[in-house]
Amino acid sequence: MCGIVGYVGPRNSQEILVSGLARLEYRGYDSAGIAVVDGSGHLGMRKRAGKLQRLRDSLADDPLPDGTTGIGHTRWATHGSPTDANAHPHLADDDRLAVIHNGIIENFADLRAELEQQGYVFRSETDTETAAVLLGREYRASGGDLEAAFRAVVRRLEGAFTLLAMHEDHPGLVVGARRNSPLVIGIGDGENFLGSDVAAFVEHTRRALAIGQDQIVAITPEGVAVTDFDGAGVEPQAFEVSWDPAAADKGGWPSFMAKEVSEEPEAVANTVRGRVRDGGIVIPELDGLDDLFTGIDRVIVLACGTAYYSGLVGKYAIEKWAGIPVDVELAHEFRYRDPIVGARTLVVSISQSGETMDTLMAVKEAARLGARTLSICNTQGATIPRESDAIIYTHAGPEVAVASTKAFVAQITALYLFALHVGRVRGALGAEAEAEAIVELEELPGRIQWILDNEQEHIEQLAHWMADTRSVLFLGRHVGFPIALEGALKLKEISYIHAEGFAAGELKHGPIALIEPGQPVFVVVPSPRGSATLHAKVISAIEEIHARGARVIAIAEQGDTAVLPKSDEVLRIPLAAPLFEPILAVVPLHVFAMGLAEAKGLDVDQPRNLAKSVTVE
Ligand code: M6R
């Protein structure tokens, strides 16, 4: 939530800031703003409620003077509604100091009361302005030492924050700090960058440094200095950004979501690439970590949203191939109970962004309780992998649309690789089963592509016909159940239509009461080749809802004729081994949600009230 960018160097910072914000807008789009220090050492600021385009328009109508030092922010509102006044940057010290912030300052009310008592006046309802005003006071007290003042401020803040600040007395200097909220450094030639994630600067440099918890960074055109909150020097961890800058552009597609759905085959292929050697699964990142997998008797998967659904699918594979019991839990629920976790528990977190606060906090709690931790993540340099004992990266490439699509198929793929690896290390998996799974993994990209090539148009037409639908239900069983949940979430998220996913076996325990004539129900039908019994049971569920007037849209493998008599529509997927079907069955549901949102004329990439990375609790 909230995107942050900072720049120092020889170039006009405004263009760099606004293009950085464009790449970070997925993090929040309630308002946007920038501040720059111009050539004469004057600080200029512009901010506007609404999407980044409103800021762009304002800057085009009435440009700020050029400046080579600047900070920029795109907001997802927490404290204070999305207005111009509450937009960042916030100014202090007679408007000579600018501050931007991501996170929540939990003790802001006490700090604000303290400052108000001293006569300071506030212009917004935000927690951020408290940090700005406090920094102004500390700056004066320090005799104009921005870094010392900044250290004094961050030591007083509670909660989660990334803060950037600059002062017109110090052109060529931007200071930043982070606690439980993301910030990375981009290293250029004679210029340096800060960003909530590497997307902020990847078009300028791929050289990056990760900043740890409770650390402060000062960037100038000449260099970067990182310290802890007490000013002691720290060596940041360098990494090379592997994302191609063009990968974060729409590349001619009408939306990022359309582009990202089209990249689902590639996301799976890239996640498998380099991890199959001599007919076996090899995950180089896990070299030397066998004890993580042999010394455990339980796996707990923690994640939120779509990543949680990928975990639900992964449970079937881990239990089957690795023979370990798996619990899958919403990260925000885990943390607030008394979980029974110890040294023989491996906690696997799943997060596209690697910054989801609920997941991060749950991982930390698990580690505190003695568990070992492994992160499945799509974003280099993100916090959750850095807090974990081991990492498996999904190689889906940057995902910009708020609705997660290609990351979901990549997450299931990574979970399967993990399950196969652990199964082999623990001696639970035979070579034949591993070889069969590898063939399936390698066939997946082509099979997903088949769905996009052969069914996309049909699904989009269906979505168009259903544009006025007010409620859609999704049913699935076994690995199809999490897919029903994912189909429903995607539809709610971008189409604002009521949608629910159910386990088909639950129907008669309540949900069947929702069926009335015309109610659309998507049914994920398992292959009869996997389990004839399961298949038959899902076909009976179709008959039961059809008999009560439901409009049935079946997702079934090619050649399954049993679905035909009682289905109004059949969306076909290619044949695959049963465990691999969810990675295929979800594709029509992603296409459908996107098609329906488009048919309703909605902003597919930036749905209302949401942001891509949920970095506050
Ligand atoms: O970055 P993460 O994978 O940790 O995000 C988790 C969820 O917030 C995310 O999957 C969310 O549910 C998506 N917007 C769903 O499309």
Side-chain angles (χ1 to χ4, degrees):
M1 315 232 134
C2 300
I4 278 185
V5 56
Y7 174 77
V8 285
R11 296 191 272 165
N12 179 7
S13 62
Q14 280 182 57
E15 285 160 29
I16 292 168
L17 296 175
V18 173
S19 77
L21 291 182
R23 289 177 185 273
L24 293 180
E25 203 182 6
Y26 68 87
R27 300 179 68 91
Y29 30 85
D30 289 337
S31 63
I34 60 169
V36 297
V37 176
D38 68 25
S40 57
H42 172 73
L43 189 144
M45 188 271 286
R46 182 71 46 78
K47 54 185 184 177
R48 287 289 176 270
K51 294 197 174 168
L52 180 63
Q53 192 54 43
R54 289 205 60 222
L55 176 69
R56 282 189 198 272
D57 294 345
S58 164
L59 290 168
D61 290 348
D62 178 17
L64 285 177
D66 286 355
T68 54
T69 305
I71 55 180
H73 187 268
T74 175
R75 178 170 187 243
W76 187 86
T78 55
H79 293 70
S81 50
T83 58
D84 284 358
N86 289 333
H88 303 208
H90 291 279
L91 303 185
D93 195 23
D94 297 331
D95 295 350
R96 296 175 341 114
L97 166 76
V99 170
I100 56 176
H101 164 229
N102 173 29
I104 292 179
I105 299 169
E106 286 167 2
N107 59 335
F108 91 100
D110 291 346
L111 292 171
R112 183 165 168 151
E114 172 188 320
L115 291 159
E116 279 175 336
Q117 258 177 12
Q118 292 169 0
Y120 290 94
V121 175
F122 286 77
R123 291 173 281 191
S124 79
E125 306 154 274
T126 63
D127 50 344
T128 309
E129 194 183 7
T130 311
V133 173
L134 188 60
L135 183 59
R137 186 187 81 181
E138 295 302 316
Y139 181 76
R140 292 281 173 102
S142 70
D145 184 337
L146 184 59
E147 292 171 60
F150 198 63
R151 281 198 295 277
V153 168
V154 294
R155 283 199 296 258
R156 291 211 55 196
L157 303 182
E158 290 167 16
F161 52 85
T162 300
L163 278 182
L164 296 195
M166 61 179 205
H167 196 290
E168 65 179 26
D169 290 348
H170 302 273
L173 172 66
V174 173
V175 289
R178 69 169 292 236
R179 168 178 288 164
N180 289 332
S181 187
L183 183 63
V184 281
I185 308 169
I187 305 294
D189 290 326
E191 59 184 0
N192 289 305
F193 306 82
L194 293 170
S196 297
D197 66 47
V198 297
F201 51 72
V202 71
E203 63 183 309
H204 307 291
T205 181
R206 290 192 185 195
R207 285 185 294 146
L209 298 174
I211 312 172
Q213 289 296 6
D214 288 6
Q215 291 180 0
I216 291 179
V217 56
I219 59 166
T220 61
E222 296 78 34
V224 165
V226 181
T227 66
D228 63 19
F229 281 6
D230 295 321
V234 172
E235 196 56 49
Q237 188 193 333
F239 65 99
E240 186 82 11
V241 182
S242 59
W243 287 351
D244 178 350
D249 289 333
K250 264 191 220 164
W253 290 87
S255 62
F256 279 109
M257 187 174 177
K259 174 174 179 258
E260 289 158 11
V261 168
S262 82
E263 289 169 346
E264 290 191 2
E266 212 178 313
V268 171
N270 289 343
T271 300
V272 174
R273 183 164 300 125
R275 288 165 168 168
V276 177
R277 203 183 306 147
D278 303 328
I281 298 295
V282 177
I283 306 181
E285 301 96 303
L286 303 183
D287 272 358
L289 294 175
D290 284 3
D291 66 310
L292 264 190
F293 313 119
T294 49
I296 53 165
D297 48 30
R298 185 173 171 219
V299 169
I300 300 181
V301 176
L302 297 177
C304 300
T306 281
Y308 168 71
Y309 300 145
S310 78
L312 291 178
V313 177
K315 171 183 166 81
Y316 292 85
I318 302 168
E319 290 187 340
K320 183 176 171 75
W321 291 328
I324 317 177
V326 180
D327 293 307
V328 188
E329 190 160 350
L330 289 164
H332 34 87
E333 291 295 321
F334 174 84
R335 195 180 155 207
Y336 291 104
R337 56 184 183 85
D338 297 310
I340 298 168
V341 169
R344 293 189 65 80
T345 310
L346 176 67
V347 163
V348 175
S349 65
I350 311 169
S351 175
Q352 187 286 131
S353 61
E355 300 293 350
T356 298
M357 181 62 81
D358 291 314
T359 309
L360 171 64
M361 289 306 179
V363 168
K364 285 185 162 194
E365 176 64 3
R368 193 186 67 78
L369 294 169
R372 311 297 300 277
T373 55
L374 180 143
S375 153
I376 293 181
C377 182
N378 195 43
T379 311
Q380 284 177 292
T383 309
I384 297 172
R386 283 161 43 75
E387 294 281 332
S388 303
D389 298 317
I391 311 166
I392 301 177
Y393 279 112
T394 48
H395 295 300
E399 192 179 67
V400 177
V402 165
S404 189
T405 53
K406 64 175 179 174
F408 178 70
V409 291
Q411 283 160 351
I412 300 177
T413 306
L415 281 159
Y416 282 19
L417 292 170
F418 164 79
L420 292 166
H421 176 86
V422 177
R424 189 166 31 75
V425 169
R426 290 173 67 91
L429 178 73
E432 202 181 320
E434 184 174 3
E436 279 167 18
I438 289 172
V439 171
E440 290 290 325
L441 281 168
E442 290 180 333
E443 291 290 332
L444 275 172
R447 291 174 178 161
I448 300 175
Q449 192 60 54
W450 184 93
I451 301 170
L452 295 174
D453 292 344
N454 294 279
E455 286 287 355
Q456 183 150 2
E457 224 177 285
H458 173 198
I459 301 165
E460 282 170 353
Q461 203 173 49
L462 180 69
H464 194 80
W465 292 332
M466 289 175 65
D468 294 329
T469 304
R470 300 181 59 141
S471 159
V472 181
L473 304 180
F474 294 81
L475 294 182
R477 200 162 177 150
H478 192 255
V479 279
F481 171 41
I483 298 308
L485 298 175
E486 164 68 0
L489 174 64
K490 218 87 316 172
L491 198 61
K492 289 181 223 190
E493 189 176 23
I494 60 171
S495 303
Y496 318 149
I497 287 178
H498 170 255
E500 293 294 330
F502 298 107
E506 271 296 289
L507 255 190
K508 292 191 278 292
H509 300 284
I512 200 163
L514 290 169
I515 305 296
E516 56 187 10
Q519 170 67 53
V521 185
F522 280 79
V523 184
V524 180
V525 183
S527 162
R529 296 167 303 111
S531 159
T533 315
L534 263 193
H535 177 259
K537 287 194 186 303
V538 173
I539 297 294
S540 343
I542 290 181
E543 286 179 5
E544 287 157 10
I545 57 173
H546 185 264
R548 288 161 177 82
R551 182 150 179 253
V552 176
I553 303 141
I555 300 173
E557 71 175 18
Q558 289 168 300
D560 181 349
T561 50
V563 294
L564 291 174
K566 301 289 159 56
S567 301
D568 297 86
E569 299 281 341
V570 181
L571 309 177
R572 291 294 181 187
I573 59 172
L575 271 58
L579 264 187
F580 293 83
E581 284 172 356
I583 306 182
L584 303 178
V586 77
V587 179
L589 298 181
H590 285 165
V591 173
F592 175 75
M594 180 171 69
L596 206 138
E598 279 167 1
K600 288 180 75 175
L602 298 172
D603 185 337
V604 173
D605 288 338
Q606 297 182 339
R608 70 184 178 201
N609 304 338
L610 288 166
K612 179 85 181 150
S613 300
V614 183
T615 56
V616 292
E617 280 190 81

